[in-house]
Structure formats: structure tokens, C-alpha cells
Amino acid sequence: MVKLTKSDGARAPASIARHLTLEIVRVTERGAIAAAGWRGKGDERAADAAAVEAMSHELSRIDIRGRVVIGEGERDEVKALYIGEEVGSGTGLEVDIAVDPLEGVTLCAKNQPDSICVLVLAERGGLLNVSRNLYMNKIAIGPGYPEDIVHIDASAEENVNALAKAKGVPLSEITACVLDRPRHTSLIEELRRCGVSVKLISDGDIAGVIHAAQTDETGIDIYLGSGGAPEGVLAAAALRCIGGQMQGKLILDTPEKRARAARTGITKPDTIYSITDLAAGDVLFAATGITDGSMMSGVRLRRNNVDTSTIVMRSWSQTVRWVNARHAR
Ligand code: VTB
Ligand code: MG
Ligand code: MG
């Protein structure tokens, strides 16, 4: 028998019941199937709303006492999956839930790769509570490097140099993933000046961060730049499961943003969040592909059945599962 050292029960008992791994797959599957009906239709709102409604409905069937800590907006802004909403059947473990029902909504509306439906389930209090509409500066690398070889406050040049040195390769063999935005023009120039290859993505930095931790499969060594703050927490949860380093720093450059952050308890604007400040304790991460992507296939809608492809993982055991499912319709 092959001995699996990490999941053979030798360690402290996990706080989250493991059957919840499969339960949350059902939720992202439903969200993805609903959004898939809106692929390529150019209607971002409708696609997002469909994913929200389906996830919300499926979540209510799980035996948890869940609390949404990262949702679609604040209570007065959205009907479902708002911050503070209680979800689940109301019996079972008290947990925190973070969602991005349609990560990469533009990708879905244009039927381009890598739009996903994402859910994280964590121990109560495990996740940094951040509101939508806030941005976070992020840096992420894969596992196997010495601690803190890159730092969010260092320049991009310093970071890629440190990474190349640790990897034992020239800078020309480093690939950085960056969101293609005007705000990143100087970052992209700086990286290219160093000789680094820059992979630009039009959206979807949860996938971007995960890709940086799967260098062997993706060729991406580092993720850099700013994107949605909730996506930062969700990505950190994923990295807790697959290994890697990440830091985040919220961009709170106006009184309005600072007020928004304060409403979820964030009062120190300059805090640098380590990966465990973003997502601590036992966390489960699930993402189902909506459009085809490099991690998962998109939803296949057929007359009689529907196929979904999901990645689901857990930090305690560091198990990564790919769940391919066929659903009757
Ligand atoms: C970011 C990124 C997301 O949207 O939130 C981005 O983190 C929005 O950035 O992954 P802009 O406001 O500059 O468009 C995504 O790409 C998709 O939700
Ligand atoms: Mg969203
Ligand atoms: Mg998103």
C-alpha cells in the first residue's frame, strides 16, 4: 500500500469535515452551468446574476452554518451572496464562505478562456474580509523557494532578480504574469527592460496566481500587479492548498475606499498581508470551469446532459482533485 504521509491521520485532526469537499463542488458546478448558458452573449450582468442565483440555491442545501465574508457586495447593494449573509441549511459546522460566482465575467460574455466559478470554505475567522470594489497589489510565486525571496514592497526588478538567482536561471528564462491594464504600463516596461517574458492576461487573476504556482505546467514563475482584493483572498486560499508564497497589500488611496475597508474591520491601510493573513487555518477551494481554460475544461452543454470540470483542494491535506462530472438534464 502506498503511504500518503500527509493524509494518513498522523497530524492534528482537521477542523473542517472532509465530506464538505464534495459538497462545495456541487455549488461551483451549479454556478458554472448557469453562467455557461450566457457564454458569448455579451451580457455580463445576466451571466453573473445566473451564477449567483444558482450558487446561492445550491449552498442552501449544504449542512453548514455558513457566513459569507467575501461576496457580491454589501447587504444594501446586492440581493444574494452579500457580505454577512447566512448561508447553508443552518445545521452543522460554523464556517466562513468566500465566493466569486463568475470570476472573469468579461471572458464569459465574450466566450474566451479561463472564466471560472469559485468558492472557498474556511474555518470561522480564517479569511481576510474584504469588500468588492477594492483593489490589492499582489505578488505570488510557486513552492520550493526560500521564505521571503520576493517582497511586495521591493521593485519588480529586485523581485525577478531574486527569483532568477534562486532558480539558477538567467532573467530571460523568467516569465511573469500580469493583468493587461493601463495601470500596469510601467510595471510591464520594467519587467521587459530586465529581459523577463511577460504573459499578459486580460482578466482572471485568481487563475493567474494559481498558474504562478504551477510553473512546470504553465511556464509562469511569478504573478505581479494589482487586481480585485477579493480575488486576492481567494487566490491565497488556493495557494495554501497547492503551496507557494504570496503577499498582498490593499490599495486604499481614497477616504471612500478606507471607509469601505473599515466596514469589514480593516483599519490599517498599509498592512502587508502574508498568505496566512489572507487565508488561515483549514481551507477548501473549488473552481469549476465555465469557458475552456488551462486548468479545467469549460461546461459542455448538450441536449440530454451537461459535463463539468472542477478543481477542488484542501489546505490541511494538500489534496488536489479534478472532478469531472456528467449531469443529467
Ligand atoms: C480584477 C481581477 C479579476 O477583474 O478584479 C479585474 O482581479 C478588474 O480589474 O480577476 P479592472 O477593474 O482593472 O478591470 C478580473 O480580471 C476579473 O474579475
Ligand atoms: Mg464576480
Ligand atoms: Mg472576479
Side-chain angles (χ1 to χ4, degrees), residues 25 28 210 214 242 285-289 295-296 309-313 320-323:
V25 170
T28 57
I210 294 175
Q214 297 178 322
I242 53 180
F285 175 101
T288 301
M295 289 189 291
M296 292 87 71
S309 165
T310 303
I311 189 168
V312 61
M313 40 206 190
V320 181
R321 292 184 168 87
W322 286 265
V323 179

Side-chain angles (χ1 to χ4, degrees), residues 4-304:
L4 299 172
T5 48
K6 286 203 166 148
S7 43
D8 66 358
R11 296 187 299 149
S15 60
I16 295 176
R18 65 182 185 179
H19 72 267
L20 288 174
T21 312
L22 188 55
E23 297 290 337
I24 63 167
V25 170
R26 292 196 173 92
V27 180
T28 57
E29 284 175 347
R30 282 295 148 200
I33 292 169
W38 290 96
R39 277 181 309 212
K41 304 279 173 73
D43 192 339
E44 298 189 357
R45 268 169 187 275
D48 207 32
V52 169
E53 207 213 306
M55 277 187 105
S56 189
H57 176 75
E58 198 62 36
L59 258 174
S60 69
R61 302 172 68 181
I62 304 185
D63 284 339
I64 50 168
R65 282 177 288 166
R67 179 181 74 174
V68 176
V69 296
I70 291 183
E72 286 294 283
E74 295 180 33
R75 185 187 293 263
D76 53 344
E77 297 169 339
V78 291
K79 282 204 296 276
L81 300 181
Y82 54 82
I83 298 171
E85 185 182 344
E86 291 188 8
V87 292
S89 70
T91 56
L93 198 65
E94 288 194 336
V95 293
D96 281 354
I97 300 287
V99 293
D100 197 350
L102 210 181
E103 157 67 346
V105 66
T106 312
L107 299 171
C108 176
K110 293 182 176 176
N111 203 348
Q112 290 175 337
D114 272 328
S115 66
I116 54 179
C117 177
V118 184
L119 183 144
V120 166
L121 186 152
E123 288 177 37
R124 229 347 110 88
L127 302 173
L128 180 72
N129 299 1
V130 281
S131 161
R132 291 235 158 253
N133 308 322
L134 289 180
Y135 282 78
M136 182 186 279
N137 250 321
K138 310 168 192 181
I139 186 167
I141 58 172
Y145 294 105
E147 272 305 303
D148 296 328
I149 58 159
V150 296
H151 196 279
I152 193 116
D153 277 345
S155 68
E157 181 175 359
E158 287 169 325
N159 282 324
V160 290
N161 269 295
L163 191 64
K165 201 170 154 211
K167 234 189 138 178
V169 299
L171 278 171
S172 59
E173 286 178 32
I174 295 291
T175 299
C177 181
V178 178
L179 266 176
D180 194 2
R181 294 289 184 279
R183 65 176 179 269
H184 289 148
T185 304
S186 67
L187 168 65
I188 294 163
E189 275 169 13
E190 183 180 349
L191 289 166
R192 290 197 175 133
R193 246 194 336 269
C194 297
V196 166
S197 166
V198 182
K199 180 179 167 68
L200 292 173
I201 52 172
S202 68
D203 274 296
D205 74 351
I206 297 179
V209 167
I210 294 175
H211 288 161
Q214 297 178 322
T215 310
D216 288 348
E217 287 84 27
T218 61
I220 295 168
D221 301 286
I222 184 165
Y223 180 86
L224 286 165
S226 62
E231 282 86 349
V233 176
L234 292 163
L239 279 210
R240 289 278 326 286
C241 303
I242 53 180
Q245 298 182 32
M246 180 172 173
Q247 289 168 354
K249 200 171 175 180
L250 292 172
I251 301 173
L252 301 174
D253 51 4
T254 65
E256 198 278 325
K257 290 181 203 168
R258 286 191 287 276
R260 205 171 250 277
R263 288 204 286 280
T264 59
I266 295 167
T267 50
K268 293 197 191 107
D270 291 326
T271 307
I272 294 170
Y273 296 100
S274 71
I275 187 164
T276 45
D277 294 331
L278 296 168
D282 197 8
V283 298
L284 309 182
F285 175 101
T288 301
I290 299 168
T291 53
D292 278 338
S294 38
M295 289 189 291
M296 292 87 71
S297 304
V299 176
R300 298 273 178 279
L301 295 171
R302 300 191 200 86
R303 185 187 288 270
N304 296 318

